[in-house]
Amino acid sequence: RKLFSQRLAFRLVYLSILQESGVEPQKCAAHLDALDEAALPWRERLIESWNRRAMEREERRAQAECRAEIKELASQERREPDAMGKEDRRQRQVSHCEAMFELRERRSMACEEKLYRRIASFERRQERQNHKDMAKEDRRCRCWERRCLDVEGRIVHRICKVLGSWRRWQAEKSAKEARRQ
């Protein structure tokens, strides 16, 4: 999050410098947006990798603590072989089971979070693709409409020429008949 906020602050400063130097910041902002969008999958993989390594470190630490606790209890048990040791062993087993259950829960939550991130990423990609497809279809429709209007215009122009020729022919025919009479 800190890196993201720093990146946004850097971007704002960069665009303000560009604006002061006379460059259009909108074009640069669009270029930066395109670069951000292109780098998004890489950033998501990097964050996912970092989270995975952090969880693995946490799991190893928890397992090491659990093993250390078991060793400590075993050494106490050797020192106290009476009924107290049996109770300690039972409690150790219970705490070990609880720790393992907690570890499994953390793992399943991490897997679920990863799945949700993948689904969100897929939906963003799908939304961008749909937007591109719709824009492409809009361009095709506008082009088709222009072609239809051009064809209609040419047809109307031809009809007008034919009507003009017909009127001239009618006028000439009427003039010839008028001369004959």
Side-chain angles (χ1 to χ4, degrees), residues 5-179:
S5 64
Q6 287 176 349
R7 189 168 50 92
L8 288 177
F10 174 78
R11 175 192 169 111
L12 292 174
V13 170
Y14 178 69
L15 290 175
S16 67
I17 291 170
L18 287 175
Q19 188 173 14
E20 289 173 9
S21 65
V23 177
E24 288 186 38
Q26 293 83 6
K27 290 181 182 177
C28 292
H31 180 67
L32 289 175
D33 289 339
L35 289 174
D36 278 348
E37 189 171 321
L40 183 66
W42 177 80
R43 274 196 312 273
E44 286 178 350
R45 284 194 304 270
L46 187 65
I47 290 169
E48 185 177 308
S49 173
W50 187 88
N51 286 338
R52 187 174 48 250
R53 285 193 306 267
M55 286 188 336
E56 288 171 356
R57 283 191 302 269
E58 177 64 26
E59 288 174 9
R60 284 193 299 268
R61 187 189 61 76
Q63 289 173 353
E65 286 177 2
C66 193
R67 283 192 299 268
E69 183 181 324
I70 289 172
K71 284 182 182 179
E72 178 63 30
L73 289 175
S75 68
Q76 283 179 0
E77 195 173 296
R78 277 185 238 116
R79 284 181 261 145
E80 301 172 1
D82 60 347
M84 193 78 146
K86 289 181 183 178
E87 179 62 22
D88 286 342
R89 189 176 3 171
R90 189 187 68 74
Q91 286 179 355
R92 183 180 68 233
Q93 288 173 343
V94 168
S95 67
H96 176 71
C97 289
E98 287 174 351
M100 292 308 290
F101 177 76
E102 184 179 304
L103 181 64
R104 286 188 191 115
E105 283 294 317
R106 259 191 265 134
R107 284 180 180 168
S108 68
M109 287 173 63
C111 287
E112 190 172 297
E113 184 181 3
K114 182 180 177 182
L115 176 65
Y116 286 138
R117 281 195 314 265
R118 284 185 176 176
I119 290 171
S121 174
F122 172 77
E123 287 176 346
R124 285 191 302 270
R125 283 193 309 269
Q126 193 65 37
E127 185 176 315
R128 284 191 302 267
Q129 186 61 43
N130 288 343
H131 182 70
K132 287 178 185 177
D133 291 344
M134 287 174 60
K136 188 177 181 180
E137 189 61 32
D138 286 345
R139 284 191 303 274
R140 285 181 185 162
C141 286
R142 277 186 256 125
C143 182
W144 186 79
E145 286 174 358
R146 281 193 306 267
R147 286 180 185 162
C148 287
L149 290 174
D150 289 346
V151 169
E152 287 177 6
R154 280 188 250 136
I155 290 173
V156 167
H157 181 70
R158 285 181 188 160
I159 290 172
C160 288
K161 281 177 81 175
V162 168
L163 282 174
S165 298
W166 183 77
R167 285 183 189 139
R168 281 192 300 273
W169 179 76
Q170 282 291 339
E172 289 173 5
K173 185 178 173 183
S174 300
K176 285 181 184 178
E177 287 180 9
R179 279 188 236 143

